[in-house]
Amino acid sequence: MSRAVVWSPASVCAEHKRTKDSCAVVWSPQPKQVEFMSRPEYEALYGGAAGGGKSDAIVAEALRQVDNPNYRAIIFRKTFPQCRELIIKSMRIYSAAYPKAVYNGSEHYWRFPSGAKIYFGSMPNSMSYLQYQGLSYSFIAFDELTHFTQEEYEYLISRNRADGEGLRVYIRATANPGGIGHGWVKQRFITPVPPNTTQRIKSKIRDSGGREIEIERTRIFIPSNVFDNEALLKNDPGYVASLGLLPEAKRKALLYGDWDSYEGQVFTEWKNNPEGYETHLNTHVIEPFRIPDSWPRYRTFDFGYSKPFAVQWWAIDYDGRAYLYRQLYGCTETANTGLKWEPRRIAREIKDIENQCEQGHEIRGIADPAIWDASRGRDGTIITMFEEEGVYFEKGKNDRLSGKMQCHYRMAMDEAGRPMMYVFNTCKAFIRTLPNLVYSTVNTEDVDTSLEDHDYDAMRYFFMANPIKPIILKKREPERFDPLSTRN
């Protein structure tokens, strides 16, 4: 009697090794999926482009420990309707490999003969992750991780533990560039090290006896794209052409897995080109230099408490070009999470920086108009608290769309490749957050304000106080052709 099995890199059916007739393999990973499924790291992200076989890989990976009765796994999509494709894949694979496994449609989980369970979950709103409080899963997977926030992902890490002996505890995810989580996913998996390279994240904690111990977690990014999926190319040869005809940003993201270009990106002009750091050509990011004493200097501020605050120092040269040369960004190690500093502490920090670095320079302050709102402070307005500490601002203009257009005007490059704004490469938070901004789905001409937009807001106040006209590139005259001129 034949039996259907799922082949995995670490576990091949012994019967299938002995004879091809004894087992029917219902799913077998392709080479890139083998690479992903073989990784020993605690966290692994797979994909980066469309068509790489990402969903199949995590649905199959979830089966790895179903012979252990204590095994609990969960596979997430952002909303439950998005889970349906995963459930359909599981119907094809799980029921064939384990005919006695039963799917519970009301609770959305598979129960296997051993008693192991694989769930399908979702987190459609900002507090949905709390419904998983008190639960535990040995294996957690996120399909399309960039649809989730960092807070949601990191909370589920706390649910990732073993409820019995012999269980491996780990997390897997897939993603394409773009989406609300683009920035933090890129920062966590893409930026720190090259693809296929293990990151080792070390920390020190104290045990119950007060002894300091060092702990370590590992993570890795395994890139894939449609060219790694031979089965898809065979079944649908036109799929590559479909991706190739997409608009440029979407094509770069979905066909090539370009994490610097994606659909919905607000500031597509932005360039961080190390080759231009010294020449200042074809880049917005440059090497620091000494700001001349004669250049006007500005300090701009966007307040935040539970969210980050942003303080920026700008200078303007004789041509009206702006330079962000210093910043103070109030963020924890978790993206878009504030330090919860009281206004007076922020003011004192600003004053200390300027006493050390800006002696003899006049600084014009421009701030978020909200700090003049009496409801924002517990012992008076925030601006009053700043002024009592000797830090002064004037009220910034908060016309969001006009401010956004000023940002576009500043970032546009002339024929030589020079924009009207530069950022020192020491301003890490600005460089991290600005290119990750996407358009709002509600106010489609504006930035999505749920994202980490605090440096953007501070920049916007500064540009509105120093507006410019858009760069007018030289018009290219069309070539003229007179068909009569070809006559003999």
Side-chain angles (χ1 to χ4, degrees), residues 406-446:
Q406 281 297 317
C407 295
H408 286 300
Y409 297 162
R410 288 277 181 180
M411 290 185 200
M413 295 190 180
D414 62 18
E415 291 91 343
R418 287 174 58 85
M420 289 301 291
M421 64 157 286
Y422 287 111
V423 179
F424 283 10
N425 62 10
T426 50
C427 298
K428 303 295 186 184
F430 185 98
I431 294 168
R432 174 178 66 83
T433 59
L434 186 80
N436 296 332
L437 298 177
V438 300
Y439 283 102
S440 168
T441 57
V442 179
N443 300 314
T444 54
E445 291 297 322
D446 198 5

Side-chain angles (χ1 to χ4, degrees), residues 36-70:
F36 169 63
M37 297 173 73
S38 299
R39 297 309 309 183
E41 288 82 6
Y42 173 63
E43 297 173 75
L45 176 68
Y46 180 55
K54 303 185 296 294
S55 299
D56 278 9
I58 60 170
V59 168
E61 179 64 29
L63 281 177
R64 190 181 293 276
Q65 301 181 86
V66 293
D67 291 330
N68 188 319
N70 298 310

